[in-house]
């Protein structure tokens, strides 16, 4: 079928649904929800059998839903309505939540239900639940709804009155989110901030200045209990530590609200001067106090390294910290080292927000790309152990190539990879991709990987040669299977010979063309991106970190605006015609 996605942006959920539906043979065009006129025009051009709205914050125009079935993905259980569905569920600590696919009608979220999927809630941020449970449930529900539409054209009969149902909930306002520092315990503070992460954050104050709080974690209470609730008691890495009435929370990220120019930043960077003199709480990977990097001794010669940086972005100092941790590991190498990355994102490359905040974004871009290159190089040169990249979360740009520095790349089926750098103002990219890509099995063509601006499913990445194996029905099953496989690899009597071959191959590759040469060539191009006349990267980065809403849909997504594609469908794509042609 021809399907039109109407969405606020091509976010992770929309990307996943796009990959699910195109894998089933549907033709999916995408239009960003910019205005009713643009939406109506897109429908007229594409003449879809079905409109799917993965991520929408406004009503679909009546001129569209009256004539074409429009399926809206709502991140709530059946009967739940309103714009803050997941926020309320997290704030109220419900045990079970869900996703409903309903048909757009005059009243918001009140049309016939085509499909729904429930899931058990986790103690996690709203954005993490959205990226994992909501996305998985939405993928199942949307595929089910689309299959039902293709088969019958009608929604299933409404469920009986015994089925648990949600209700209308209003927009969650900052007044609902506000932290009552003298009375809210740590659990409540965490829940409030998690319900607002990654947007809009909880409006509060730090150092007498208004700001929004994100990325909160609980810490053991300070030794002296003499701190007033809400008081800032120190800093730990990039987080500001605040006392609660019964403990301590680390606030990792904030967006200052004392001017329109602010965007989300690590807390100590957003309040650089104010936090400079604070007590610095030491952290170390070795004793398990590092907030982002964690070593897990699995036993049987296997070590797992987790690096769960907020949003998967790695700043210069984070790259350096991770590289130091890696060097410590490699000094006494395990037989197999598993790199788990983070739970939501394996890695998304250099930290664009930190770069944007620098006095010279070009200089900070340069430092950051060199730091991630150093890290990647350390992985490439780790020839005394077998390195496994275990992608439990999605990866973007340089994060994908960092994973390819491993000997083996495994991914969970729901993972989405965006290996191209082009969407960030035509960046050329580094992280030794010019070395790492051709050495993958099947030597994937750079044009196929870097030239296409569309996301890849784990399965497509495997077909292209970027990923070795895809398995695991859930994140937990994936992790368990990774560790079982890693143990088998470590116990394999052929491992010493495999490592010997790895060392020989590295020496051979180095003799043929030194790693330094690849890096120099890549960085020469990156230097032009950072310091050259073309400001595309700087503009794209500024828009990205400020979450500027796009004013048009990029052409590679809006395929309905391609005259060749329009010509391909002279007749309106009705359900019957699509079924007759076997496309559905
Ligand atoms: N630096 C800083 N922040 C980043 C980031 C990066 N490299 N990559 C993602 N983020 C942040 C986003 O700003 C967003 O922040 P929010 O919590 O304030 O909303 C959050 O991570 C989630 O990103 P989003 O774009 O909403 O997720 P997605 O699943 O829709 O898309 C990507 C994932 C990777 C495709 C997309 O985030 C992306 O293109 N990132 C940039 C990758 C890049 O160009 N890196 C630099 C070159 S190495």
């Amino acid at each position: 079928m021809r399907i039109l996605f109407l969405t606020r942006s091509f976010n992770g959920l929309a990307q996943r649904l796009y990959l699910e539906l195109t894998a089933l043979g549907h033709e999916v065009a995408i239009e960003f929800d910019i205005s009713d006129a643009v939406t109506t025009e897109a429908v007229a051009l594409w003449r879809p059998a079905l409109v799917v709205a993965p991520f929408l914050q406004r009503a679909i125009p009546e001129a569209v839903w009256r004539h074409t079935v429009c399926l809206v993905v709502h991140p709530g259980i059946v009967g739940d309505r309103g714009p803050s569905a997941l926020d309320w569920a997290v704030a109220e600590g419900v045990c079970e939540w869900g996703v409903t696919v309903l048909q757009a009608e005059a009243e918001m979220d009140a049309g016939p239900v085509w499909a729904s999927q429930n899931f058990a809630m986790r103690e996690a941020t709203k954005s993490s639940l959205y990226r994992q449970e909501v996305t998985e449930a939405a993928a199942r529900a949307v595929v089910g709804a689309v299959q039902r539409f293709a088969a019958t054209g009608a929604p299933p009969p409404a469920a009986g009155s015994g089925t648990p149902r949600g209700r209308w909930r209003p927009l969650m306002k900052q007044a609902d989110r506000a932290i009552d520092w003298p009375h809210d315990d740590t659990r409540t503070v965490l829940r409030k901030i998690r319900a607002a992460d990654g947007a809009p954050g909880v409006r509060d104050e730090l150092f007498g200045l208004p700001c929004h709080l994100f990325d909160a974690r609980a810490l053991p209470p300070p030794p002296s209990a003499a701190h007033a609730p809400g008081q800032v008691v120190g800093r730990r890495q990039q987080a500001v530590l605040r006392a609660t009435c019964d403990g301590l929370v680390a606030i990792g990220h904030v967006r200052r609200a004392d001017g329109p120019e602010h965007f989300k930043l690590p807390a100590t960077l957003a309040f650089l001067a104010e936090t400079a003199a604070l007590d610095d709480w030491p952290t170390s990977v070795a004793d398990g106090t590092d907030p982002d990097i964690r070593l897990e001794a699995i036993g049987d010669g296997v070590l797992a390294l987790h690096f769960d940086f907020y949003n998967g972005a790695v700043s210069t100092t984070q790259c350096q910290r991770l590289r130091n941790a890696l060097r410590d590991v490699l000094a006494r190498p395990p037989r197999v080292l598993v790199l788990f990355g983070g739970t939501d994102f394996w890695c998304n490359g250099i930290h664009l927000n930190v770069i944007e905040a620098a006095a010279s974004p070009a200089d900070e871009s340069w430092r950051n790309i060199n730091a991630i290159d150093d890290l990647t190089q350390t992985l490439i040169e780790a020839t005394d152990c077998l390195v496994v990249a275990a992608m439990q979360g999605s990866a973007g740009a340089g994060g994908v190539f960092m994973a390819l520095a491993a000997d083996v790349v495994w991914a969970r089926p729901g993972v989405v990879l965006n290996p191209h750098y082009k969407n960030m103002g035509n960046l050329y990219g580094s992280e030794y991709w010019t070395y790492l890509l051709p050495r993958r099995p099947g030597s994937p063509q750079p044009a196929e990987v870097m030239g296409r601006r569309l996301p890849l499913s784990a399965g497509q990445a495997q077909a292209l040669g970027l990923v070795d194996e895809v398995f695991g029905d859930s994140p937990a099953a994936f992790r368990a299977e990774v560790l079982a496989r890693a143990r088998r690899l470590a116990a394999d009597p052929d491992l010493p010979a495999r490592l010997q071959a790895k060392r020989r191959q590295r020496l051979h590759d180095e003799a043929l063309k030194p790693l330094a040469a690849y890096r120099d060539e890549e960085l020469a191009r990156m230097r032009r991106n950072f310091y050259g006349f073309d400001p595309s990267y700087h503009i794209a980065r500024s828009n990205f970190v400020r979450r500027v809403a796009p004013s048009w849909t990029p052409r590679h997504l809006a395929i309905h605006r391609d005259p060749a594609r329009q010509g391909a469908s002279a007749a309106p794509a009705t359900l019957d015609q699509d079924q007759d042609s076997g496309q559905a």
Side-chain angles (χ1 to χ4, degrees):
M1 279 188 298
R2 281 193 158 198
I3 297 175
L4 179 74
F5 271 16
L6 180 61
T7 187
R8 197 173 132 81
S9 70
F10 197 36
N11 70 351
L13 173 59
Q15 293 183 19
R16 175 69 188 282
L17 298 181
Y18 171 86
L19 291 167
E20 295 283 343
L21 295 178
T22 49
L24 291 173
H26 300 296
E27 269 191 289
V28 180
I30 295 155
E31 186 71 62
F32 289 166
D33 177 35
I34 287 160
S35 73
D36 287 359
V38 171
T39 300
T40 311
E41 182 188 57
V43 172
L45 288 172
W46 191 236
R47 286 173 285 183
L50 193 59
V51 171
V52 173
F55 170 43
L56 211 54
Q57 288 172 330
R58 296 178 336 120
I60 297 175
E62 183 171 350
V64 171
W65 62 255
R66 278 254 177 248
H67 304 289
T68 310
V69 171
C70 298
L71 299 182
V72 178
V73 178
H74 176 73
I77 52 172
V78 171
D80 177 82
R81 294 165 54 206
S84 303
L86 201 48
D87 309 49
W88 287 114
V90 176
E92 290 170 358
V94 302
C95 300
E96 192 183 10
W97 200 239
V99 169
T100 308
V101 176
L102 28 80
Q103 188 168 339
E105 284 188 347
E107 207 180 336
M108 260 300 237
D109 302 335
V113 172
W114 280 75
S116 66
Q117 289 279 329
N118 285 6
F119 52 83
M121 283 287 264
R122 209 169 23 107
E123 286 284 338
T125 61
K126 175 179 67 161
S127 44
S128 180
L129 290 159
Y130 187 81
R131 287 170 194 146
Q132 296 193 38
E133 285 82 350
V134 169
T135 299
E136 292 300 329
R140 288 194 300 274
V142 167
V143 167
V146 169
Q147 279 168 345
R148 181 169 183 100
F149 176 78
T152 70
S161 55
T163 317
R165 291 179 69 86
R167 62 195 164 102
W168 162 261
R169 304 301 303 265
L171 176 76
M172 189 182 273
K173 301 200 188 71
Q174 283 299 337
D176 303 309
R177 303 183 190 273
I179 296 172
D180 178 359
W181 288 99
H183 301 108
D184 284 348
D185 59 11
T186 302
R187 195 154 175 260
T188 310
V189 171
L190 283 188
R191 193 165 272 174
K192 285 182 174 176
I193 297 178
R194 283 176 178 167
D197 217 331
V202 173
R203 176 107 178 178
D204 203 275
E205 273 194 2
L206 271 171
F207 311 104
L209 292 170
C211 60
H212 292 83
L213 310 180
F214 307 86
D215 181 22
R217 300 173 205 200
L219 288 180
S224 97
H227 301 294
Q231 190 185 338
V232 172
V233 303
R235 50 184 283 168
R236 186 180 75 145
Q237 292 292 357
Q238 56 182 16
V240 166
L241 306 180
R242 280 181 97 167
T244 63
C245 64
D246 66 343
L248 194 63
V249 287
I251 310 288
H253 282 75
V254 302
R255 180 163 50 78
R256 285 174 61 156
D258 54 334
E261 71 281 12
H262 296 298
F263 47 89
K264 195 188 283 183
L265 280 176
T268 51
L269 186 54
F271 289 106
L272 198 56
E274 293 83 349
T275 54
L278 289 176
D279 266 359
D280 209 350
W281 287 38
T283 66
S284 117
V285 176
D287 69 9
T289 53
D290 190 289
D292 311 303
I293 305 170
R294 183 166 63 87
L295 269 177
E296 192 187 0
I298 306 301
D300 303 328
V302 180
L303 202 64
L305 185 61
H306 302 259
F307 40 98
D308 208 349
F309 297 108
Y310 188 70
N311 284 337
V314 276
S315 66
T316 305
T317 52
Q318 287 168 329
C319 287
Q320 289 163 347
R321 271 167 55 209
L322 184 54
R323 186 174 182 229
N324 289 340
L326 195 60
R327 283 172 147 178
D328 287 347
V329 167
L330 296 174
R332 277 173 295 142
R335 286 202 286 279
V336 175
L337 173 64
V338 180
L339 306 174
F340 269 114
T343 46
D344 293 346
F345 291 115
W346 196 84
C347 180
N348 279 332
I350 57 177
H351 201 311
L352 299 167
N353 293 46
V354 170
I355 288 169
E356 183 70 14
S360 163
D363 288 351
E364 187 50 37
S365 301
W366 186 252
R367 277 192 288 271
N368 204 162
I369 200 73
N370 273 289
I372 200 169
D373 279 358
D374 290 343
L375 178 58
T376 311
Q377 183 180 343
T378 304
L379 284 173
I380 296 171
E381 291 177 343
T383 49
D384 291 336
C385 66
L386 196 76
V387 181
V388 175
M391 293 185 153
Q392 48 180 340
S394 297
V400 175
F401 291 99
M402 215 175 101
L404 299 197
D407 304 297
V408 182
V409 184
W410 296 332
R412 198 166 58 77
V415 154
V416 173
L417 302 187
N418 278 283
H420 44 77
Y421 297 80
K422 278 183 178 294
N423 286 353
M424 196 51 63
N426 269 322
L427 274 187
Y428 181 75
S430 189
E431 293 94 359
Y432 297 94
W433 74 264
T434 52
Y435 169 65
L436 294 170
L437 195 55
R439 77 168 193 168
R440 291 290 308 164
S443 312
Q445 288 305 307
E448 267 183 280
V449 178
M450 310 303 278
R452 58 176 271 154
R453 290 169 179 244
L454 290 168
L456 292 171
S457 66
Q460 286 174 324
Q462 185 181 17
L464 273 176
L466 300 184
V467 167
D468 296 300
E469 285 187 83
V470 178
F471 53 82
D473 289 340
S474 66
F478 175 72
R479 284 190 290 270
E481 176 69 19
V482 164
L483 295 182
R485 287 176 182 231
R487 277 200 174 96
R488 284 202 293 277
L489 284 175
D492 187 345
D494 287 344
L495 183 67
R498 194 170 175 181
L499 292 179
Q500 197 53 259
K502 177 178 171 177
R503 282 190 280 272
R504 268 201 309 276
Q505 184 68 48
R506 178 83 281 284
L507 288 172
H508 172 263
D509 289 356
E510 190 66 18
L512 218 56
K513 178 172 173 178
L515 276 182
Y518 289 97
R519 179 166 171 162
D520 287 350
E521 286 165 13
E522 290 169 6
L523 289 183
R525 302 288 292 265
M526 287 297 256
R527 185 175 272 284
R528 262 191 265 162
N529 290 137
F530 298 158
Y531 294 100
F533 288 117
D534 178 357
S536 301
Y537 158 66
H538 298 292
I539 293 169
R541 189 193 61 242
S542 168
N543 289 340
F544 180 81
V545 306
R546 293 181 171 82
R547 312 308 280 163
V548 173
S551 44
W552 70 86
T553 312
R555 265 304 168 86
H556 66 281
L557 303 179
I559 56 172
H560 50 288
R561 298 191 180 276
D562 176 353
R565 303 298 285 260
Q566 289 160 18
S569 68
T574 65
L575 180 62
D576 288 341
Q577 281 166 339
D578 280 340
Q579 282 175 339
D580 287 344
S581 69
Q583 285 173 295

